[in-house]
């Protein structure tokens, strides 16, 4: 079956998952997709499991300006086959906070070069890039990946900048990453606490 036919069938399956209340609540929050069926994430995950990992299909789905297609693309893309340049293109084309978070959780945290991307994005001027960077690091810390000394300093600097910034989503992502960092062990907890204290942000 060719990819266009497959995509057509996938899109038809979204109709069955349609949830008007979810779609409306997203529109009310300003999440404006060209097409949004309001399919819930568990339903999309089931669909992804049914399809399995598929590089070409993921690339084709991502090109569709449809919320569900983009999320599904992040779920079926094999992380070990995704080139760094493709990740950069996807990141540039990421339309909303939801898609950025889904990409970080479903895909970017598993990339072989995930830490490098996370550190680059965390230092970006763009809000969605920062958000993605902190979410990836949160996941890596949760999985017990410890940064080296340079990584620690860079992470703490960027996290403090984010926590003192104006973007609520980025603040939340940075705070979550700092908490995960502190959970890596006593030394990390002390580093996090003293940094937070220095910045007069005492909440750890």
């Amino acid at each position: 079956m060719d990819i266009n036919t497959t995509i057509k069938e996938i899109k038809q399956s979204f109709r069955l998952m349609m949830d008007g209340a979810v779609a409306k609540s997203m529109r009310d929050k300003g999440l404006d997709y060209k097409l949004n069926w309001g399919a819930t994430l568990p339903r999309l995950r089931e669909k992804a499991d049914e399809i399995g990992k598929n590089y070409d299909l993921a690339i084709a789905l991502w090109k569709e300006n449809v919320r569900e297609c983009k999320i599904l693309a992040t779920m079926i893309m094999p992380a070990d086959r995704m080139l760094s340049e493709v990740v950069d293109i996807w990141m540039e084309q990421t339309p909303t906070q939801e898609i950025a978070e889904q990409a970080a959780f479903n895909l970017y945290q598993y990339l072989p070069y995930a830490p490098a991307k996370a550190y680059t994005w965390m230092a970006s001027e763009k809000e969605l890039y920062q958000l993605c960077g902190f979410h990836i690091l949160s996941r890596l810390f949760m999985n017990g990946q410890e940064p080296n000394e340079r990584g620690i300093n860079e992470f703490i600097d960027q996290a403090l900048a984010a926590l003192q910034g104006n973007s609520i989503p980025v603040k939340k992502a940075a705070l979550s990453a700092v908490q995960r960092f502190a959970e890596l062990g006593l030394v990390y907890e002390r580093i996090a606490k003293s940094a937070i204290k220095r910045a007069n942000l005492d909440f750890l």
Side-chain angles (χ1 to χ4, degrees):
M1 191 189 291
D2 77 337
I3 278 196
N4 293 334
T5 315
T6 309
I7 286 187
K8 213 169 170 181
E9 286 186 358
I10 288 171
K11 283 178 167 174
Q12 280 165 350
S13 78
F14 294 152
R15 286 207 174 90
L16 306 174
M17 304 180 194
M18 189 168 174
D19 190 324
V22 174
K24 182 183 182 308
S25 119
M26 286 181 188
R27 277 196 302 277
D28 294 346
K29 289 181 187 134
L31 289 178
D32 209 11
Y33 298 95
K34 182 173 162 228
L35 240 180
N36 176 0
W37 300 103
T40 61
L41 296 174
R43 295 291 297 274
L44 290 172
R45 170 59 64 201
E46 277 170 26
K47 189 75 194 163
D49 290 343
E50 189 188 303
I51 294 167
K53 296 292 181 194
N54 186 323
Y55 180 88
D56 295 328
L57 186 55
I59 291 287
L61 278 169
W62 180 265
K63 290 178 179 158
E64 300 286 324
N65 189 8
V66 177
R67 169 187 172 263
E68 286 77 6
C69 287
K70 287 207 185 308
I71 293 175
L72 200 53
T74 69
M75 291 175 170
I76 66 168
M77 170 61 85
D80 56 348
R81 282 196 58 197
M82 200 179 191
L83 295 173
S84 177
E85 301 78 71
V86 178
V87 175
D88 291 339
I89 292 167
W90 278 29
M91 196 61 225
E92 259 170 54
Q93 295 170 345
T94 298
T96 62
Q97 182 187 334
E98 182 192 25
I99 301 288
E101 289 175 344
Q102 287 302 309
F105 296 144
N106 300 331
L107 177 61
Y108 298 156
Q109 65 162 318
Y110 301 113
L111 297 169
Y113 44 85
K117 282 286 176 223
Y119 280 101
T120 305
W121 290 349
M122 193 174 58
S124 164
E125 296 292 301
K126 298 174 184 163
E127 195 172 306
L128 288 181
Y129 281 69
Q130 292 173 30
L131 189 76
C132 250
F134 285 119
H135 279 316
I136 294 168
L137 284 177
S138 256
R139 290 299 168 126
L140 295 179
F141 295 154
M142 265 171 84
N143 294 331
Q145 277 201 39
E146 300 182 25
N148 59 22
E149 194 178 336
R150 186 173 152 234
I152 291 173
N153 294 333
E154 217 172 302
F155 167 67
I156 292 293
D157 285 350
Q158 296 299 344
L160 290 181
L163 290 167
Q164 291 163 309
N166 299 322
S167 163
I168 303 283
V170 173
K171 270 186 187 176
K172 281 186 180 162
L175 178 57
S176 161
V178 170
Q179 286 165 334
R180 300 290 177 215
F181 173 86
E183 285 162 14
L184 281 169
L186 197 55
V187 173
Y188 295 96
E189 193 184 327
R190 285 187 183 140
I191 293 170
K193 279 188 168 157
S194 89
I196 296 286
K197 210 176 199 149
R198 277 201 315 275
N200 296 320
L201 290 166
D202 222 358
F203 43 54
L204 267 189

